[in-house]
Amino acid sequence: MPLTLGMTGMDAATEAALKTAFEAANARNGQPWRLLPEAEAGHVVVDMDSMYGPMSWLRLHAAGKRVIGLTSVARTQTDFHLARPFDADSLAALLQTIANDSGSDAHDVPDTQVQTPAAAPAAPAIAATASPSGMAPAPMPQDQLPEEHPQPVDEEAAAPAPAPGLPGSVEAGSLIATTIEPVAPAPPPPPRERRLTDWLAPGVLSGRVRLQPAGAQAVLIDADARQYCGPALLKPLAGLFDNVVVREDFEPVDAARWSSDSAALGAAQPLNRLQWYGGLLAGKGVLLPGFDPAGRYKLGKWPQTEREFPKHFRIATAMMKGPATLDEVAVASGVPLADVADFINASLVTGYAEFVPELPPEPAEPPKPAGLFGRLRGK
């Protein structure tokens, strides 16, 4: 079988660097590979760290292509793995491994990965850029305030006046007077404590700020542009969501400091990705307040599944089939119920999932009148 390679889902600079590395790697291996457009190639390199990389992988996987995932993370769902940063040596080792393995059934097992050995760079390495696909932002549900508990009303019935000449008796026409003590208005409920997820909803924050709670990873937030700068992975940011966050915790950042600090933290990423992660952590295995645990939920479109949470791909696949309860999704995906609840929470707060109410049953057709006149009216 001829060895053909294509490229897709990457920016022009990455594609140019990859072609340069390919020419050197292919020459080093004796020119066994041909570079073709992705539609004609048997193996296609996809930049899984780009915005459209995961969707390109799904399309190519369905078309029967073998996908090489170019990514800076340790694992990928593609058939083969080209670690970032790459060079001619690492690409040559990967292409040689694929050529040797071309007769195997690696394509039938999506989790198969080929780890390329570390080698001294022979060409300029391409730095990792983590700009995962974002999710469409959606307003957070309205905050539910605690119910007010009014003070109990004390009522005292006035004792009736005894009738003249009859001590202790009550006249037949006398009225029983009732007096109601005035009730002081209930105090207003205390303001609800806000977590970082509440602050990330559109329209709550504005401008550029820095957030770094004690013991947590720092993150820069550009609320107007709906972006943030922080590590490429989400799990290191879990500490941001542990405690209550007040407005004073957000430190304003001017343009000069933003330029220097953002360069150290990494490329800008969609803010709703951070909002999605906050929703994932908020419920701790149960649905968020206000959502029916026994209700049915569906995905309106395919969400971004984070490679740090491989089970989410199976949950999303099950939910795309139609509205289902949490129990039904757990059974269909083979994923624990708590993980299903967390995934639905994250999808609800970012607008990817929605609750599907039960439709009322259609009214039964009224019985047709019997007898001769009924048959005549039915004609």
Side-chain angles (χ1 to χ4, degrees):
M1 181 176 63
L3 298 173
T4 54
L5 186 72
M7 304 174 186
T8 190
M10 63 189 68
D11 57 48
T14 303
E15 183 174 354
L18 188 58
K19 287 181 178 178
T20 300
F22 168 77
E23 292 174 359
N26 198 31
R28 193 171 305 171
N29 290 345
Q31 303 285 357
W33 290 82
R34 285 195 304 150
L35 193 62
L36 296 176
E38 63 166 292
E40 304 173 22
H43 295 75
V44 182
V45 182
V46 175
D47 188 350
M48 296 299 289
D49 295 337
S50 71
M51 179 176 294
Y52 301 106
M55 295 307 297
S56 298
W57 167 67
L58 288 173
R59 172 176 54 82
L60 294 167
H61 183 75
K65 305 285 186 180
R66 293 189 175 183
V67 179
I68 302 170
L70 170 61
T71 177
S72 58
V73 300
R75 277 186 58 88
T76 180
Q77 296 166 318
T78 57
D79 302 293
F80 301 99
H81 179 201
L82 176 59
R84 188 186 236 127
F86 63 87
D87 53 32
D89 285 340
S90 61
L91 183 58
L94 174 61
L95 294 179
Q96 184 61 48
T97 302
I98 296 175
N100 295 338
D101 195 42
S102 59
S104 70
D105 59 350
H107 180 59
D108 298 330
V109 185
D111 285 337
T112 300
Q113 300 176 20
V114 177
Q115 302 292 341
T116 59
I126 305 302
T129 56
S131 52
S133 171
M135 293 177 282
M140 294 286 290
Q142 293 295 326
D143 291 339
Q144 300 294 323
L145 297 176
E147 296 181 353
E148 297 183 1
H149 299 282
Q151 299 294 327
V153 177
D154 294 330
E155 299 183 357
E156 293 181 359
L166 297 174
S169 66
V170 180
E171 289 186 347
S174 64
L175 298 178
I176 300 176
T178 303
T179 60
I180 302 177
E181 295 292 337
V183 179
R192 189 173 71 88
E193 294 179 334
R194 286 183 172 183
R195 305 278 173 162
L196 178 57
T197 308
D198 301 317
W199 291 101
L200 297 179
V204 180
L205 285 174
S206 62
R208 290 176 167 179
V209 295
R210 176 187 176 92
L211 177 66
Q212 187 174 12
Q217 168 74 43
V219 64
L220 294 177
I221 297 175
D222 187 340
D224 297 336
R226 298 292 298 167
Q227 294 179 335
Y228 78 96
C229 295
L233 300 180
L234 288 173
K235 288 184 178 180
L237 298 175
L240 295 174
F241 300 90
D242 289 341
N243 302 312
V244 174
V245 178
V246 298
R247 188 173 294 275
E248 291 72 22
D249 292 331
F250 297 97
E251 178 188 358
V253 178
D254 59 25
R257 186 179 178 189
W258 178 274
S259 178
S260 61
D261 288 2
S262 61
L265 288 174
Q269 304 177 54
L271 187 58
N272 50 342
R273 180 175 183 246
L274 197 60
Q275 186 181 5
W276 178 91
Y277 187 47
L280 186 76
L281 299 176
K284 300 187 184 302
V286 298
L287 279 187
L288 295 172
F291 294 103
D292 183 8
R296 294 181 178 273
Y297 298 86
K298 73 171 184 178
L299 288 175
K301 54 185 175 179
W302 184 266
Q304 169 69 24
T305 56
E306 296 289 339
R307 287 178 291 277
E308 297 173 79
F309 305 94
K311 295 178 183 178
H312 290 177
F313 183 85
R314 286 149 52 192
I315 299 174
T317 301
M319 292 186 66
M320 287 296 290
K321 296 178 181 178
T325 65
L326 274 69
D327 288 330
E328 291 169 343
V329 175
V331 172
S333 62
V335 175
L337 188 62
D339 291 336
V340 173
D342 289 339
F343 178 84
I344 292 178
N345 285 338
S347 301
L348 286 170
V349 301
T350 48
Y352 270 65
E354 61 179 340
F355 170 74
V356 181
E358 293 286 348
L359 297 177
E362 296 183 0
E365 184 178 354
K368 296 181 179 180
L372 174 62
F373 291 103
R375 290 195 296 272
L376 291 176
R377 283 195 296 268
K379 292 184 178 181

